Amino acid sequence: MRGVSCLFAGAWLVAAQAIAADVEAGRAKAEVCVACHGLNGNAVLPGVPSLAAQPAMHTFLQLVQFREKRRRDPQMSPFAEKLTDRDMQDIGAYFAAQKAAPSSFVVDANKAAIGRKLLEAHHCGSCHMPDLSGQNQIPRLAGQNVEYLVKQMRGLKDGSRRDIDGTMASAAQALSVQDIDNLAHYLASVK
Amino acid sequence: MRSFFTRSTVSKVAGWIALAAAVLATVNPVSAQQPAASVVQAAPAPQVQPAQQPLAPPPPPSWQQGRPESMKSSTLAPNPPGLTAKPASEMKLDKIKLLPGFSIELWAQGLPNARSIAVGAKGTVFVGTRLIENVYAVVEKDGKREVKTILKGLYRPNGLVFHNGALYVAELSRILRYDNIEDNLDNPPKPVIVFDALPKDEPHGWKYMTLGPDGWLYFNIGAPCNACVPPDTHAAIVRVDPKNGVMETVAKGVRNSVGMAFHPNTKELWFTNHGRDWLGEDMPNDTLHRVSKKGVHFGYPYCHQGDFVDPELGKGRSCAEFTPPALKLGPHIAPLGMRFYTGKMFPAEFRNRIIIANHGSWNRTNKIGFNLMQVTLDAQGKPVKYEPFAEGWVDGNNYWGRPVDVQVMNDGALLVSDDVAGALYRISYKK
């Protein structure tokens, strides 16, 4: 057990160091983000991801991917173009420090029940963590917007969205269109 | 010699790849993202699935394969990728411990995900990347050092070789050649495809490439998993003749090698290899190997580090069936680039020593590696000493950088690449 607690402490330090960013500076820099991503990063617009409680490194690295045009979106890309690494780190730190609000999305209970089983069969918690809160570069999925989840999983499957190291693109190959829908309903329902 | 084919037998190759893909499906149904231009079709396009019929569930992600049930709640996971260039203020070069007389300096910065290093005849330093599609060139102009991104949009361009004026780039599944590159850094020519029938598996799919004294290109085809019985085509070091596209297997039973070099005197190939994960904090060792005979088998997945039978996959097998490594390097340290020291700047005893860049561990509670080690060989080529060369990229469990490759410069100094800091360092010696 001692080893385990050491490990947690270590992981926390790594996270703290990796951020080395400023939540308050991030709040100011994120003002433009909340127009779409919602108050404190809790999105309500369909198809727009929530950023509240996302791991700081995930938000940071996705902004980098947008700026470097390795990830593209007509709405998002222009905002990332002008940001420095430091801006992105601050914005990531800010959203990581926000609380995820309960989603108001009305989940299809049947789909969510199937999705829950798929989650285990497809080992989603391996990288996204058992509570789906994400870690480091891996995004939080709990309570995420359902349309956004569907779009990303479909994109990863057909190659129109590339992930950083191919792990998620590989995982998505085993998901059918129906699977993706069911899984998204379950993920959106997780508090 | 088992996989021997030429570009004129593309259909055979396609069958070979399709077969590999079929075998692989049980291990890892991947072959996910593919480079834009590919001549050989890996397999026919999959049939559209009926909506209600779920696809077979996949295995866990490759890094987690082989994790025992007892470690189910382990929080160990691969270190996050480095995709940016850190400012100099975040590189703690004053913390790097070196031997007396040696010093380290920041030589170039602003190279996100900097990986393998190759040096051109006119002194251009080329740097590949694994995760961000770029190849960089560092040039000296009017006494100033300049970093240029010369190639963009490549797929896992990790392996680089400079030869006869051309830059060879090993992507995930192709080898490309850019002729007369040093005279065209601002406007590189369209590449010539040297070879494009390599597997497209993502796990251990990126290449380290080196030039043999025979003019062939040597590189790895890693196991597409942590621990599995790989297809016959994988877990190997192979070579391709750039003149005609002939390919041969050089060594087998190699889980994944991301560093190799030829001994300057004996002309034998030496390489570093990553041991499998999830067999414990201190087992098995990563290893250094010497290829004394073409086609030799080094044991993966049945035997690790030359003397440790895999608890599952090694059932009924013995380490006596395989060639042992030349040296055990330590568990989980992730040895990457290695070179023999052939320069004249360092003291005479450094001549022909191997210097290895260790990327550092993830599958271990306390991080180790994140350093450069040196191996001294005796007259018979047997390792007799294994000791630190440079340390200090990690402090406790916090790392600020990760060494990837080393390269001896014309003046005898050693360049080191770092894919987390996005930088190159220069280690020099003064009496």
Side-chain angles (χ1 to χ4, degrees), chain A residues 7 14 17 57 70 122-123 126-127 162-165 169-170 173-174 178, chain B residues 30 33 51 55 58 60 63-64 75 80 131-133 155-156 397-398:
Chain A
L7 174 70
V14 169
Q17 189 198 39
M57 188 182 282
R70 294 189 292 264
H122 290 255
H123 314 280
S126 291
C127 297
R162 283 186 169 183
D163 64 328
I164 293 169
D165 65 3
S170 302
Q173 300 315 306
Q178 200 69 53
Chain B
V30 187
Q33 300 171 353
L55 305 179
W63 65 268
Q64 197 220 76
T75 55
L131 297 171
I132 66 170
E133 311 180 352
Y155 201 68
R156 315 262 182 256
N397 259 355
N398 304 319

PDB file of all heavy atoms in Angstrom, chain A residues 7 14 17 57 70 122-123 126-127 162-165 169-170 173-174 178, chain B residues 30 33 51 55 58 60 63-64 75 80 131-133 155-156 397-398:
ATOM      1  N   LEU A   7       3.068   6.434  -5.225  1.00  0.00           N
ATOM      2  CA  LEU A   7       2.816   6.595  -6.644  1.00  0.00           C
ATOM      3  C   LEU A   7       1.835   7.740  -6.871  1.00  0.00           C
ATOM      4  O   LEU A   7       2.025   8.588  -7.728  1.00  0.00           O
ATOM      5  CB  LEU A   7       2.255   5.293  -7.203  1.00  0.00           C
ATOM      6  CG  LEU A   7       1.814   5.399  -8.652  1.00  0.00           C
ATOM      7  CD1 LEU A   7       3.037   5.539  -9.537  1.00  0.00           C
ATOM      8  CD2 LEU A   7       1.016   4.201  -9.047  1.00  0.00           C
ATOM      9  N   VAL A  14       3.879  15.286 -10.672  1.00  0.00           N
ATOM     10  CA  VAL A  14       4.133  15.388 -12.114  1.00  0.00           C
ATOM     11  C   VAL A  14       3.083  16.294 -12.741  1.00  0.00           C
ATOM     12  O   VAL A  14       3.387  17.206 -13.488  1.00  0.00           O
ATOM     13  CB  VAL A  14       4.102  13.995 -12.785  1.00  0.00           C
ATOM     14  CG1 VAL A  14       4.084  14.154 -14.294  1.00  0.00           C
ATOM     15  CG2 VAL A  14       5.312  13.188 -12.347  1.00  0.00           C
ATOM     16  N   GLN A  17       3.632  19.854 -11.816  1.00  0.00           N
ATOM     17  CA  GLN A  17       4.780  20.431 -12.488  1.00  0.00           C
ATOM     18  C   GLN A  17       4.481  20.660 -13.973  1.00  0.00           C
ATOM     19  O   GLN A  17       4.825  21.687 -14.535  1.00  0.00           O
ATOM     20  CB  GLN A  17       5.966  19.475 -12.340  1.00  0.00           C
ATOM     21  CG  GLN A  17       7.257  20.076 -12.817  1.00  0.00           C
ATOM     22  CD  GLN A  17       8.278  18.997 -13.074  1.00  0.00           C
ATOM     23  OE1 GLN A  17       7.947  17.932 -13.576  1.00  0.00           O
ATOM     24  NE2 GLN A  17       9.508  19.266 -12.735  1.00  0.00           N
ATOM     25  N   MET A  57      -3.546  18.749 -19.138  1.00  0.00           N
ATOM     26  CA  MET A  57      -2.680  18.384 -20.249  1.00  0.00           C
ATOM     27  C   MET A  57      -3.484  18.031 -21.499  1.00  0.00           C
ATOM     28  O   MET A  57      -3.054  18.293 -22.617  1.00  0.00           O
ATOM     29  CB  MET A  57      -1.763  17.214 -19.865  1.00  0.00           C
ATOM     30  CG  MET A  57      -0.720  16.938 -20.926  1.00  0.00           C
ATOM     31  SD  MET A  57       0.326  15.537 -20.553  1.00  0.00           S
ATOM     32  CE  MET A  57       1.422  16.265 -19.371  1.00  0.00           C
ATOM     33  N   ARG A  70      -3.068  19.652 -36.953  1.00  0.00           N
ATOM     34  CA  ARG A  70      -3.172  18.189 -36.941  1.00  0.00           C
ATOM     35  C   ARG A  70      -4.563  17.774 -36.479  1.00  0.00           C
ATOM     36  O   ARG A  70      -4.944  16.620 -36.557  1.00  0.00           O
ATOM     37  CB  ARG A  70      -2.085  17.591 -36.042  1.00  0.00           C
ATOM     38  CG  ARG A  70      -0.683  17.834 -36.591  1.00  0.00           C
ATOM     39  CD  ARG A  70       0.356  17.067 -35.833  1.00  0.00           C
ATOM     40  NE  ARG A  70       0.510  17.548 -34.489  1.00  0.00           N
ATOM     41  CZ  ARG A  70       1.432  18.433 -34.090  1.00  0.00           C
ATOM     42  NH1 ARG A  70       2.275  18.947 -34.978  1.00  0.00           N
ATOM     43  NH2 ARG A  70       1.516  18.795 -32.834  1.00  0.00           N
ATOM     44  N   HIS A 122     -14.820  -2.911 -24.210  1.00  0.00           N
ATOM     45  CA  HIS A 122     -13.845  -2.187 -25.030  1.00  0.00           C
ATOM     46  C   HIS A 122     -12.749  -1.520 -24.208  1.00  0.00           C
ATOM     47  O   HIS A 122     -11.961  -0.734 -24.733  1.00  0.00           O
ATOM     48  CB  HIS A 122     -14.559  -1.167 -25.926  1.00  0.00           C
ATOM     49  CG  HIS A 122     -15.357  -1.825 -27.018  1.00  0.00           C
ATOM     50  ND1 HIS A 122     -14.945  -1.854 -28.325  1.00  0.00           N
ATOM     51  CD2 HIS A 122     -16.509  -2.519 -26.966  1.00  0.00           C
ATOM     52  CE1 HIS A 122     -15.838  -2.530 -29.053  1.00  0.00           C
ATOM     53  NE2 HIS A 122     -16.792  -2.932 -28.252  1.00  0.00           N
ATOM     54  N   HIS A 123     -12.716  -1.811 -22.917  1.00  0.00           N
ATOM     55  CA  HIS A 123     -11.604  -1.382 -22.051  1.00  0.00           C
ATOM     56  C   HIS A 123     -11.430   0.135 -22.002  1.00  0.00           C
ATOM     57  O   HIS A 123     -10.303   0.626 -21.892  1.00  0.00           O
ATOM     58  CB  HIS A 123     -10.287  -2.021 -22.516  1.00  0.00           C
ATOM     59  CG  HIS A 123     -10.380  -3.478 -22.808  1.00  0.00           C
ATOM     60  ND1 HIS A 123     -10.351  -4.429 -21.815  1.00  0.00           N
ATOM     61  CD2 HIS A 123     -10.537  -4.154 -23.977  1.00  0.00           C
ATOM     62  CE1 HIS A 123     -10.468  -5.630 -22.372  1.00  0.00           C
ATOM     63  NE2 HIS A 123     -10.594  -5.494 -23.667  1.00  0.00           N
ATOM     64  N   SER A 126      -9.343   1.738 -19.219  1.00  0.00           N
ATOM     65  CA  SER A 126      -7.895   1.523 -19.160  1.00  0.00           C
ATOM     66  C   SER A 126      -7.149   2.842 -19.255  1.00  0.00           C
ATOM     67  O   SER A 126      -6.233   3.104 -18.490  1.00  0.00           O
ATOM     68  CB  SER A 126      -7.424   0.652 -20.328  1.00  0.00           C
ATOM     69  OG  SER A 126      -7.889  -0.643 -20.190  1.00  0.00           O
ATOM     70  N   CYS A 127      -7.515   3.619 -20.250  1.00  0.00           N
ATOM     71  CA  CYS A 127      -6.834   4.900 -20.433  1.00  0.00           C
ATOM     72  C   CYS A 127      -7.644   6.047 -19.825  1.00  0.00           C
ATOM     73  O   CYS A 127      -7.093   6.958 -19.235  1.00  0.00           O
ATOM     74  CB  CYS A 127      -6.611   5.184 -21.920  1.00  0.00           C
ATOM     75  SG  CYS A 127      -5.537   3.991 -22.744  1.00  0.00           S
ATOM     76  N   ARG A 162      -7.485  12.305 -36.400  1.00  0.00           N
ATOM     77  CA  ARG A 162      -6.328  11.524 -35.973  1.00  0.00           C
ATOM     78  C   ARG A 162      -6.067  11.783 -34.495  1.00  0.00           C
ATOM     79  O   ARG A 162      -6.091  12.934 -34.062  1.00  0.00           O
ATOM     80  CB  ARG A 162      -5.088  11.947 -36.757  1.00  0.00           C
ATOM     81  CG  ARG A 162      -5.066  11.375 -38.152  1.00  0.00           C
ATOM     82  CD  ARG A 162      -3.750  11.715 -38.829  1.00  0.00           C
ATOM     83  NE  ARG A 162      -3.616  10.959 -40.074  1.00  0.00           N
ATOM     84  CZ  ARG A 162      -2.554  11.010 -40.852  1.00  0.00           C
ATOM     85  NH1 ARG A 162      -1.537  11.778 -40.537  1.00  0.00           N
ATOM     86  NH2 ARG A 162      -2.491  10.296 -41.959  1.00  0.00           N
ATOM     87  N   ASP A 163      -5.837  10.714 -33.737  1.00  0.00           N
ATOM     88  CA  ASP A 163      -5.411  10.936 -32.359  1.00  0.00           C
ATOM     89  C   ASP A 163      -3.892  10.961 -32.315  1.00  0.00           C
ATOM     90  O   ASP A 163      -3.225  10.730 -33.330  1.00  0.00           O
ATOM     91  CB  ASP A 163      -6.016   9.906 -31.406  1.00  0.00           C
ATOM     92  CG  ASP A 163      -5.548   8.496 -31.688  1.00  0.00           C
ATOM     93  OD1 ASP A 163      -5.294   8.188 -32.865  1.00  0.00           O
ATOM     94  OD2 ASP A 163      -5.445   7.698 -30.748  1.00  0.00           O
ATOM     95  N   ILE A 164      -3.328  11.248 -31.156  1.00  0.00           N
ATOM     96  CA  ILE A 164      -1.897  11.533 -31.105  1.00  0.00           C
ATOM     97  C   ILE A 164      -1.062  10.309 -31.468  1.00  0.00           C
ATOM     98  O   ILE A 164      -0.168  10.386 -32.294  1.00  0.00           O
ATOM     99  CB  ILE A 164      -1.504  12.074 -29.710  1.00  0.00           C
ATOM    100  CG1 ILE A 164      -2.152  13.450 -29.504  1.00  0.00           C
ATOM    101  CG2 ILE A 164       0.019  12.186 -29.573  1.00  0.00           C
ATOM    102  CD1 ILE A 164      -2.074  13.981 -28.099  1.00  0.00           C
ATOM    103  N   ASP A 165      -1.367   9.171 -30.852  1.00  0.00           N
ATOM    104  CA  ASP A 165      -0.478   8.018 -31.058  1.00  0.00           C
ATOM    105  C   ASP A 165      -1.160   6.813 -31.693  1.00  0.00           C
ATOM    106  O   ASP A 165      -0.552   5.754 -31.785  1.00  0.00           O
ATOM    107  CB  ASP A 165       0.189   7.616 -29.741  1.00  0.00           C
ATOM    108  CG  ASP A 165      -0.823   7.122 -28.720  1.00  0.00           C
ATOM    109  OD1 ASP A 165      -2.021   7.035 -29.063  1.00  0.00           O
ATOM    110  OD2 ASP A 165      -0.424   6.820 -27.584  1.00  0.00           O
ATOM    111  N   ALA A 169      -7.626   5.544 -32.347  1.00  0.00           N
ATOM    112  CA  ALA A 169      -8.053   5.165 -33.697  1.00  0.00           C
ATOM    113  C   ALA A 169      -8.153   3.644 -33.791  1.00  0.00           C
ATOM    114  O   ALA A 169      -9.088   3.105 -34.403  1.00  0.00           O
ATOM    115  CB  ALA A 169      -7.074   5.696 -34.734  1.00  0.00           C
ATOM    116  N   SER A 170      -7.192   2.942 -33.177  1.00  0.00           N
ATOM    117  CA  SER A 170      -7.233   1.484 -33.162  1.00  0.00           C
ATOM    118  C   SER A 170      -8.472   0.999 -32.430  1.00  0.00           C
ATOM    119  O   SER A 170      -9.198   0.129 -32.908  1.00  0.00           O
ATOM    120  CB  SER A 170      -5.986   0.925 -32.470  1.00  0.00           C
ATOM    121  OG  SER A 170      -4.824   1.348 -33.109  1.00  0.00           O
ATOM    122  N   GLN A 173     -11.847   1.150 -34.272  1.00  0.00           N
ATOM    123  CA  GLN A 173     -12.127   0.234 -35.389  1.00  0.00           C
ATOM    124  C   GLN A 173     -13.124  -0.848 -34.997  1.00  0.00           C
ATOM    125  O   GLN A 173     -13.848  -1.379 -35.829  1.00  0.00           O
ATOM    126  CB  GLN A 173     -10.839  -0.432 -35.882  1.00  0.00           C
ATOM    127  CG  GLN A 173      -9.785   0.527 -36.392  1.00  0.00           C
ATOM    128  CD  GLN A 173     -10.348   1.598 -37.295  1.00  0.00           C
ATOM    129  OE1 GLN A 173     -11.028   1.295 -38.276  1.00  0.00           O
ATOM    130  NE2 GLN A 173     -10.093   2.859 -36.961  1.00  0.00           N
ATOM    131  N   ALA A 174     -13.147  -1.187 -33.706  1.00  0.00           N
ATOM    132  CA  ALA A 174     -14.009  -2.284 -33.260  1.00  0.00           C
ATOM    133  C   ALA A 174     -15.410  -1.807 -32.896  1.00  0.00           C
ATOM    134  O   ALA A 174     -16.222  -2.588 -32.419  1.00  0.00           O
ATOM    135  CB  ALA A 174     -13.365  -2.987 -32.068  1.00  0.00           C
ATOM    136  N   GLN A 178     -23.798   1.677 -34.406  1.00  0.00           N
ATOM    137  CA  GLN A 178     -24.735   1.468 -33.294  1.00  0.00           C
ATOM    138  C   GLN A 178     -24.014   1.485 -31.947  1.00  0.00           C
ATOM    139  O   GLN A 178     -24.476   2.086 -30.978  1.00  0.00           O
ATOM    140  CB  GLN A 178     -25.421   0.106 -33.487  1.00  0.00           C
ATOM    141  CG  GLN A 178     -26.709  -0.051 -32.723  1.00  0.00           C
ATOM    142  CD  GLN A 178     -27.798   0.859 -33.287  1.00  0.00           C
ATOM    143  OE1 GLN A 178     -28.058   0.827 -34.490  1.00  0.00           O
ATOM    144  NE2 GLN A 178     -28.388   1.671 -32.444  1.00  0.00           N
TER     145      GLN A 178
ATOM    146  N   VAL B  30      -5.741  -3.799 -35.581  1.00  0.00           N
ATOM    147  CA  VAL B  30      -5.477  -2.381 -35.704  1.00  0.00           C
ATOM    148  C   VAL B  30      -5.265  -1.893 -37.124  1.00  0.00           C
ATOM    149  O   VAL B  30      -6.203  -1.658 -37.851  1.00  0.00           O
ATOM    150  CB  VAL B  30      -4.227  -2.021 -34.874  1.00  0.00           C
ATOM    151  CG1 VAL B  30      -4.055  -0.530 -34.862  1.00  0.00           C
ATOM    152  CG2 VAL B  30      -4.392  -2.540 -33.471  1.00  0.00           C
ATOM    153  N   GLN B  33      -4.442   4.104 -38.674  1.00  0.00           N
ATOM    154  CA  GLN B  33      -4.300   5.235 -39.566  1.00  0.00           C
ATOM    155  C   GLN B  33      -3.206   4.929 -40.564  1.00  0.00           C
ATOM    156  O   GLN B  33      -2.170   4.411 -40.214  1.00  0.00           O
ATOM    157  CB  GLN B  33      -3.936   6.459 -38.746  1.00  0.00           C
ATOM    158  CG  GLN B  33      -5.018   6.763 -37.739  1.00  0.00           C
ATOM    159  CD  GLN B  33      -4.594   7.833 -36.787  1.00  0.00           C
ATOM    160  OE1 GLN B  33      -3.457   8.255 -36.786  1.00  0.00           O
ATOM    161  NE2 GLN B  33      -5.515   8.271 -35.973  1.00  0.00           N
ATOM    162  N   ALA B  51     -26.287  -3.049 -39.016  1.00  0.00           N
ATOM    163  CA  ALA B  51     -26.325  -2.118 -37.903  1.00  0.00           C
ATOM    164  C   ALA B  51     -26.460  -2.805 -36.540  1.00  0.00           C
ATOM    165  O   ALA B  51     -25.866  -2.390 -35.571  1.00  0.00           O
ATOM    166  CB  ALA B  51     -27.471  -1.135 -38.095  1.00  0.00           C
ATOM    167  N   LEU B  55     -19.571  -5.537 -33.587  1.00  0.00           N
ATOM    168  CA  LEU B  55     -18.276  -6.098 -33.963  1.00  0.00           C
ATOM    169  C   LEU B  55     -17.694  -6.807 -32.748  1.00  0.00           C
ATOM    170  O   LEU B  55     -18.072  -6.542 -31.618  1.00  0.00           O
ATOM    171  CB  LEU B  55     -17.341  -4.978 -34.411  1.00  0.00           C
ATOM    172  CG  LEU B  55     -17.848  -4.081 -35.537  1.00  0.00           C
ATOM    173  CD1 LEU B  55     -16.823  -3.010 -35.862  1.00  0.00           C
ATOM    174  CD2 LEU B  55     -18.159  -4.904 -36.779  1.00  0.00           C
ATOM    175  N   PRO B  58     -12.521  -5.638 -28.926  1.00  0.00           N
ATOM    176  CA  PRO B  58     -11.079  -5.679 -29.160  1.00  0.00           C
ATOM    177  C   PRO B  58     -10.324  -6.078 -27.906  1.00  0.00           C
ATOM    178  O   PRO B  58     -10.884  -6.078 -26.815  1.00  0.00           O
ATOM    179  CB  PRO B  58     -10.774  -4.231 -29.496  1.00  0.00           C
ATOM    180  CG  PRO B  58     -11.740  -3.462 -28.652  1.00  0.00           C
ATOM    181  CD  PRO B  58     -12.980  -4.313 -28.544  1.00  0.00           C
ATOM    182  N   PRO B  60      -7.490  -5.210 -24.964  1.00  0.00           N
ATOM    183  CA  PRO B  60      -7.174  -3.921 -24.343  1.00  0.00           C
ATOM    184  C   PRO B  60      -6.093  -3.201 -25.132  1.00  0.00           C
ATOM    185  O   PRO B  60      -5.419  -3.811 -25.957  1.00  0.00           O
ATOM    186  CB  PRO B  60      -6.674  -4.303 -22.949  1.00  0.00           C
ATOM    187  CG  PRO B  60      -6.421  -5.757 -22.972  1.00  0.00           C
ATOM    188  CD  PRO B  60      -7.189  -6.337 -24.102  1.00  0.00           C
ATOM    189  N   TRP B  63      -0.542  -1.255 -24.554  1.00  0.00           N
ATOM    190  CA  TRP B  63       0.298  -1.028 -23.364  1.00  0.00           C
ATOM    191  C   TRP B  63      -0.213  -1.798 -22.162  1.00  0.00           C
ATOM    192  O   TRP B  63       0.544  -2.089 -21.249  1.00  0.00           O
ATOM    193  CB  TRP B  63       0.388   0.471 -23.035  1.00  0.00           C
ATOM    194  CG  TRP B  63      -0.906   1.118 -22.630  1.00  0.00           C
ATOM    195  CD1 TRP B  63      -1.799   1.744 -23.461  1.00  0.00           C
ATOM    196  CD2 TRP B  63      -1.464   1.202 -21.309  1.00  0.00           C
ATOM    197  NE1 TRP B  63      -2.869   2.208 -22.736  1.00  0.00           N
ATOM    198  CE2 TRP B  63      -2.688   1.898 -21.420  1.00  0.00           C
ATOM    199  CE3 TRP B  63      -1.044   0.773 -20.051  1.00  0.00           C
ATOM    200  CZ2 TRP B  63      -3.511   2.171 -20.320  1.00  0.00           C
ATOM    201  CZ3 TRP B  63      -1.859   1.038 -18.956  1.00  0.00           C
ATOM    202  CH2 TRP B  63      -3.078   1.730 -19.088  1.00  0.00           C
ATOM    203  N   GLN B  64      -1.513  -2.131 -22.188  1.00  0.00           N
ATOM    204  CA  GLN B  64      -2.083  -2.787 -21.012  1.00  0.00           C
ATOM    205  C   GLN B  64      -2.129  -4.301 -21.151  1.00  0.00           C
ATOM    206  O   GLN B  64      -2.393  -5.017 -20.182  1.00  0.00           O
ATOM    207  CB  GLN B  64      -3.492  -2.232 -20.786  1.00  0.00           C
ATOM    208  CG  GLN B  64      -4.028  -2.516 -19.408  1.00  0.00           C
ATOM    209  CD  GLN B  64      -5.489  -2.880 -19.475  1.00  0.00           C
ATOM    210  OE1 GLN B  64      -5.854  -3.985 -19.866  1.00  0.00           O
ATOM    211  NE2 GLN B  64      -6.324  -1.920 -19.140  1.00  0.00           N
ATOM    212  N   THR B  75      -2.120   2.319 -11.324  1.00  0.00           N
ATOM    213  CA  THR B  75      -2.259   3.576 -12.069  1.00  0.00           C
ATOM    214  C   THR B  75      -1.096   3.785 -13.040  1.00  0.00           C
ATOM    215  O   THR B  75      -0.990   4.834 -13.661  1.00  0.00           O
ATOM    216  CB  THR B  75      -2.315   4.776 -11.103  1.00  0.00           C
ATOM    217  OG1 THR B  75      -1.153   4.735 -10.277  1.00  0.00           O
ATOM    218  CG2 THR B  75      -3.551   4.731 -10.235  1.00  0.00           C
ATOM    219  N   PRO B  80       2.944  10.650 -20.820  1.00  0.00           N
ATOM    220  CA  PRO B  80       2.309  11.455 -21.869  1.00  0.00           C
ATOM    221  C   PRO B  80       3.313  11.892 -22.935  1.00  0.00           C
ATOM    222  O   PRO B  80       4.504  12.016 -22.645  1.00  0.00           O
ATOM    223  CB  PRO B  80       1.782  12.679 -21.112  1.00  0.00           C
ATOM    224  CG  PRO B  80       1.912  12.386 -19.675  1.00  0.00           C
ATOM    225  CD  PRO B  80       2.884  11.275 -19.504  1.00  0.00           C
ATOM    226  N   LEU B 131       5.527  11.709 -33.368  1.00  0.00           N
ATOM    227  CA  LEU B 131       4.084  11.950 -33.215  1.00  0.00           C
ATOM    228  C   LEU B 131       3.581  13.204 -33.912  1.00  0.00           C
ATOM    229  O   LEU B 131       2.400  13.510 -33.845  1.00  0.00           O
ATOM    230  CB  LEU B 131       3.737  12.031 -31.723  1.00  0.00           C
ATOM    231  CG  LEU B 131       4.009  10.738 -30.936  1.00  0.00           C
ATOM    232  CD1 LEU B 131       3.847  10.991 -29.440  1.00  0.00           C
ATOM    233  CD2 LEU B 131       3.062   9.629 -31.383  1.00  0.00           C
ATOM    234  N   ILE B 132       4.458  13.990 -34.539  1.00  0.00           N
ATOM    235  CA  ILE B 132       3.926  15.236 -35.101  1.00  0.00           C
ATOM    236  C   ILE B 132       4.280  15.497 -36.564  1.00  0.00           C
ATOM    237  O   ILE B 132       4.221  16.629 -37.010  1.00  0.00           O
ATOM    238  CB  ILE B 132       4.281  16.450 -34.248  1.00  0.00           C
ATOM    239  CG1 ILE B 132       5.763  16.697 -34.241  1.00  0.00           C
ATOM    240  CG2 ILE B 132       3.783  16.312 -32.827  1.00  0.00           C
ATOM    241  CD1 ILE B 132       6.072  18.032 -33.592  1.00  0.00           C
ATOM    242  N   GLU B 133       4.624  14.514 -37.325  1.00  0.00           N
ATOM    243  CA  GLU B 133       4.614  14.621 -38.791  1.00  0.00           C
ATOM    244  C   GLU B 133       5.704  15.506 -39.394  1.00  0.00           C
ATOM    245  O   GLU B 133       5.684  15.791 -40.573  1.00  0.00           O
ATOM    246  CB  GLU B 133       3.234  15.115 -39.284  1.00  0.00           C
ATOM    247  CG  GLU B 133       2.074  14.344 -38.677  1.00  0.00           C
ATOM    248  CD  GLU B 133       0.696  14.815 -39.143  1.00  0.00           C
ATOM    249  OE1 GLU B 133       0.618  15.844 -39.823  1.00  0.00           O
ATOM    250  OE2 GLU B 133      -0.284  14.127 -38.833  1.00  0.00           O
ATOM    251  N   TYR B 155       4.032  10.507 -41.852  1.00  0.00           N
ATOM    252  CA  TYR B 155       3.372   9.689 -40.839  1.00  0.00           C
ATOM    253  C   TYR B 155       4.395   8.933 -39.997  1.00  0.00           C
ATOM    254  O   TYR B 155       5.015   8.000 -40.467  1.00  0.00           O
ATOM    255  CB  TYR B 155       2.365   8.733 -41.492  1.00  0.00           C
ATOM    256  CG  TYR B 155       1.353   8.267 -40.483  1.00  0.00           C
ATOM    257  CD1 TYR B 155       0.439   9.187 -39.953  1.00  0.00           C
ATOM    258  CD2 TYR B 155       1.337   6.966 -40.013  1.00  0.00           C
ATOM    259  CE1 TYR B 155      -0.470   8.797 -38.995  1.00  0.00           C
ATOM    260  CE2 TYR B 155       0.429   6.575 -39.054  1.00  0.00           C
ATOM    261  CZ  TYR B 155      -0.473   7.496 -38.549  1.00  0.00           C
ATOM    262  OH  TYR B 155      -1.368   7.114 -37.583  1.00  0.00           O
ATOM    263  N   ARG B 156       4.603   9.401 -38.768  1.00  0.00           N
ATOM    264  CA  ARG B 156       5.566   8.805 -37.820  1.00  0.00           C
ATOM    265  C   ARG B 156       6.980   8.764 -38.418  1.00  0.00           C
ATOM    266  O   ARG B 156       7.591   7.686 -38.500  1.00  0.00           O
ATOM    267  CB  ARG B 156       5.149   7.387 -37.428  1.00  0.00           C
ATOM    268  CG  ARG B 156       3.667   7.239 -37.092  1.00  0.00           C
ATOM    269  CD  ARG B 156       3.386   7.287 -35.637  1.00  0.00           C
ATOM    270  NE  ARG B 156       1.977   7.093 -35.339  1.00  0.00           N
ATOM    271  CZ  ARG B 156       1.139   8.085 -34.986  1.00  0.00           C
ATOM    272  NH1 ARG B 156       1.561   9.333 -34.928  1.00  0.00           N
ATOM    273  NH2 ARG B 156      -0.110   7.835 -34.685  1.00  0.00           N
ATOM    274  N   ASN B 397      10.301  11.436  -9.076  1.00  0.00           N
ATOM    275  CA  ASN B 397       9.453  10.907 -10.143  1.00  0.00           C
ATOM    276  C   ASN B 397       9.067  11.973 -11.168  1.00  0.00           C
ATOM    277  O   ASN B 397       8.183  11.771 -11.986  1.00  0.00           O
ATOM    278  CB  ASN B 397       8.200  10.260  -9.555  1.00  0.00           C
ATOM    279  CG  ASN B 397       8.334   8.732  -9.526  1.00  0.00           C
ATOM    280  OD1 ASN B 397       9.311   8.170 -10.032  1.00  0.00           O
ATOM    281  ND2 ASN B 397       7.360   8.057  -8.963  1.00  0.00           N
ATOM    282  N   ASN B 398       9.722  13.133 -11.077  1.00  0.00           N
ATOM    283  CA  ASN B 398       9.412  14.220 -12.017  1.00  0.00           C
ATOM    284  C   ASN B 398      10.511  14.338 -13.054  1.00  0.00           C
ATOM    285  O   ASN B 398      11.675  14.522 -12.692  1.00  0.00           O
ATOM    286  CB  ASN B 398       9.305  15.548 -11.278  1.00  0.00           C
ATOM    287  CG  ASN B 398       8.293  15.483 -10.167  1.00  0.00           C
ATOM    288  OD1 ASN B 398       7.232  14.889 -10.336  1.00  0.00           O
ATOM    289  ND2 ASN B 398       8.626  16.054  -9.033  1.00  0.00           N
TER     290      ASN B 398
END
